[in-house]
Amino acid sequence: MKVIGVNASPKGKDSNTLKLVNAVLEGAKEEGAETEYIDLYTLRIEYCTACGTCYATGECTLLDDFSDIFDRMMNAEGIVLGAPNYIDSVPAPMKALFDRMADAIHCQMLTGKFGCSVCTAGGSGESEVVGYMNKVLSTLGANVVGSVGVAIGRDPTALGKAEEGARILGKSLVRSIRGELVYPDQDEVHRQKREYFCQLVKYNKDRFAHEYEWYVQMGWMK
């Protein structure tokens, strides 16, 4: 199995958020997973133009690194999102990545995958940021296994404790992928969400041709 870490920190190897992402990946490795890392600040992700082409064709008109990033995420069973707190939200590259996934939301493309989020903050707001990133994972169809957020402005030693929590989170992520941990409440939410988007796509099948074909191929069209 593969677990991929996606980090949106501009600090490169000096990133505190990177330390948490790496800790999750280390925990996943200890449970037998193959891991991969993506630094969003080394890549180019243009802003979504809301043209709707992806709904119709499954392709994006923008030529940048988004398609490669998304393909790598789709080839993983587990997804780790990492970001520092930027005014109780994520930095621009992570938000740009999310905004380009409208087609994936309609098609619930992360169904069957598992995810978690980590965040470092100066004084506060880490809970809001991991909550937001986990909500995005859930909106895309993934089951969320947990999060680690830490504010280190007043206590730099807190990062070390958070790294240990992140390592444990990585183990839980792999155990979830293996089916050792189950999430029936989330499964029901996803079932209802697929039904909602199925109807949305069905009513707009002339404009959302690719998405209609997706639902048919997945056996979700009713």
Side-chain angles (χ1 to χ4, degrees):
M1 70 184 73
K2 177 177 282 189
V3 173
I4 190 168
V6 183
N7 188 24
S9 169
K11 293 188 175 181
K13 62 182 178 59
D14 297 321
S15 164
N16 286 321
T17 306
L18 172 60
K19 293 178 180 179
L20 292 187
V21 173
N22 278 341
V24 177
L25 296 180
E26 283 300 320
K29 282 182 184 177
E30 290 170 13
E31 286 290 326
E34 176 187 349
T35 64
E36 183 179 355
Y37 174 73
I38 295 176
D39 181 349
L40 291 185
Y41 270 87
T42 66
L43 302 171
R44 185 169 64 92
I45 308 170
E46 300 292 341
Y47 301 138
C48 178
T49 63
C51 68
T53 300
C54 60
Y55 301 155
T57 69
E59 302 293 333
C60 183
T61 61
L62 300 175
L63 301 178
D64 57 9
D65 294 313
F66 169 75
S67 294
D68 178 64
I69 297 168
F70 186 69
D71 286 346
R72 291 159 74 182
M73 292 174 69
M74 287 295 290
N75 286 328
E77 288 78 31
I79 298 169
V80 184
L81 300 180
N85 173 15
Y86 275 30
I87 316 180
D88 294 336
S89 190
V90 295
M94 184 70 85
K95 185 60 168 68
L97 178 67
F98 293 163
D99 290 348
R100 294 281 291 279
M101 294 185 182
D103 178 45
I105 291 172
H106 283 187
C107 292
Q108 293 292 279
M109 288 186 179
L110 297 194
T111 295
K113 300 184 186 298
F114 297 83
C116 61
S117 298
V118 296
C119 171
T120 57
S124 63
E126 68 279 6
S127 296
E128 288 84 349
V129 178
V130 293
Y132 170 61
M133 290 190 288
N134 277 349
K135 180 66 179 343
V136 171
L137 288 169
S138 178
T139 298
L140 287 159
N143 275 348
V144 173
V145 308
S147 64
V148 172
V150 60
I152 59 178
R154 295 186 180 90
D155 182 12
T157 66
L159 182 60
K161 299 174 185 177
E163 285 183 83
E164 180 56 31
R167 187 170 290 105
I168 293 171
L169 181 59
K171 292 176 179 291
S172 296
L173 181 59
V174 174
R175 290 183 62 203
S176 299
I177 295 168
R178 286 201 299 249
E180 297 170 11
L181 301 175
V182 296
Y183 305 88
D185 291 345
Q186 291 190 55
D187 290 338
E188 175 58 20
V189 170
H190 292 316
R191 184 191 65 78
Q192 294 179 18
K193 200 179 302 177
R194 282 195 301 272
E195 288 185 359
Y196 167 78
F197 282 117
C198 178
Q199 294 304 310
L200 177 70
V201 169
K202 186 176 181 179
Y203 293 148
N204 292 276
K205 66 178 182 179
D206 291 338
R207 293 191 299 127
F208 298 174
H210 150 72
E211 296 182 346
Y212 185 82
E213 291 173 4
W214 173 276
Y215 271 82
V216 171
Q217 291 172 2
M218 295 297 291
W220 295 343
M221 182 56 64
K222 297 181 179 180

